Amino acid sequence: MSSKPVITSFLVAGALALSSCKTVPMPEPSAREFAYVCAAASGDITVDGRLDEDAWQGAEVISTFYPFTPATDPALSPTRARLLWTPTHLYVGIECDDDDIWSYSDQDDAELWNGDVAEFFIRTGSGDKSFYEFVIAPSGALFDAMHASHGGGGYRRFAGWSSGAEVAVTVNGTDGDWRDDDRGYVVELAIPLAAFSSGLPGSTPGAWTFGVFRYNYSKSFDEAQLLMSIPEAPKWGFHYYPGYRPLIFQARK
């Protein structure tokens, strides 16, 4: 695996525009979301968990998330996701407001979803049943897997696959200490397009589909919040790729 720097700060002014004091109302489930237009990056991107390059300003922001489990809290944890692409990589940026940051592990391919994580799932329109999973903890640990199918076996069978992705996370607070109030963390992920079976984005609009997800364990909640960028996941949970949002790759200028 490539190195994954984790930058931790108790007071990072301007580095993260996150606030656990701000909440968003729970959205009503609706019809399948419209296609996401993934912009071509307008410049170089340094994977440092900051999303401060000009290129990120040209990415559409996904800010509407839905509860997967029955919500027992008055509002969902604010989350924002962006995607960009280059001829060689797919970039994913996820900002997570969080007042109680906790990583289950700092080891790659561990069961990271037992703690706070941001997750990205994608299908590449290859015509088979395969799909890809990326799970990133605030610690910077990465779980990545290529699932041959829903029925092909559990995560342990497919966790040995490596995407070669580069990951960086910035943490505004303290990872693992519930006694203080954190602000949140930002995940930046660069996935080589060569890792996907389809290689490069196909010419068929919407053939690729994706979902962004989150586990948030907090001292502020009665139950952990499981959030998703798609309205429904009635079967297979976050692995329910029939509900993923179509991904359109904007032509490079």
Side-chain angles (χ1 to χ4, degrees):
M1 300 299 298
S2 58
S3 61
K4 290 175 282 299
V6 181
I7 306 168
T8 304
S9 174
F10 295 97
L11 294 173
V12 182
L16 303 174
L18 304 174
S19 174
S20 60
C21 297
K22 297 179 180 179
T23 56
V24 293
M26 290 180 291
E28 293 294 329
S30 60
R32 190 180 186 191
E33 299 289 342
F34 58 86
Y36 180 92
V37 178
C38 183
S42 59
D44 294 337
I45 298 175
T46 300
V47 181
D48 56 8
R50 297 192 182 279
L51 310 185
D52 54 1
E53 291 88 357
D54 290 341
W56 282 113
Q57 305 310 309
E60 177 186 344
V61 180
I62 301 169
S63 59
T64 299
F65 281 77
Y66 303 85
F68 174 67
T69 52
T72 59
D73 298 286
L76 303 183
S77 302
T79 309
R80 296 163 296 282
R82 298 171 173 85
L83 277 65
L84 291 170
W85 77 287
T86 69
T88 59
H89 287 80
L90 177 63
Y91 292 88
V92 182
I94 308 173
E95 299 173 281
C96 303
D97 286 23
D98 194 335
D99 68 352
D100 181 19
I101 299 170
W102 172 55
S103 295
Y104 174 75
S105 175
D106 60 2
Q107 299 298 308
D108 290 341
D109 289 332
E111 298 178 20
L112 303 177
W113 48 87
N114 288 320
D116 292 341
V117 290
E119 301 190 349
F120 177 72
F121 284 71
I122 188 167
R123 290 199 76 207
T124 63
S126 57
D128 58 21
K129 295 178 173 59
S130 64
F131 61 102
Y132 301 84
E133 175 182 7
F134 301 85
V135 181
I136 306 95
S139 65
L142 169 68
F143 174 95
D144 55 359
M146 191 284 287
H147 298 272
S149 71
H150 286 129
Y155 71 90
R156 290 185 179 88
R157 182 181 185 191
F158 300 108
W161 176 83
S162 177
S163 63
E166 184 178 0
V167 176
V169 180
T170 54
V171 173
N172 194 350
T174 51
D175 187 351
D177 187 352
W178 60 268
R179 291 165 295 188
D180 66 348
D181 290 327
D182 306 318
R183 291 177 61 84
Y185 63 98
V186 177
V187 167
E188 193 168 19
L189 175 69
I191 309 168
L193 291 175
F196 300 123
S197 58
S198 294
L200 299 175
S203 59
T204 304
W208 291 39
T209 58
F210 75 100
V212 180
F213 307 95
R214 184 178 170 191
Y215 282 69
N216 187 11
Y217 298 82
S218 176
K219 62 188 179 184
S220 301
F221 305 151
D222 292 329
E223 299 179 25
Q225 283 192 357
L226 277 63
L227 308 180
M228 55 190 187
S229 65
I230 57 177
E232 295 181 292
K235 188 177 182 182
W236 303 311
F238 293 173
H239 296 239
Y240 181 68
Y241 58 66
Y244 290 175
R245 185 173 180 177
L247 181 60
I248 306 296
F249 290 91
Q250 181 185 69
R252 297 185 61 81
K253 297 180 181 179

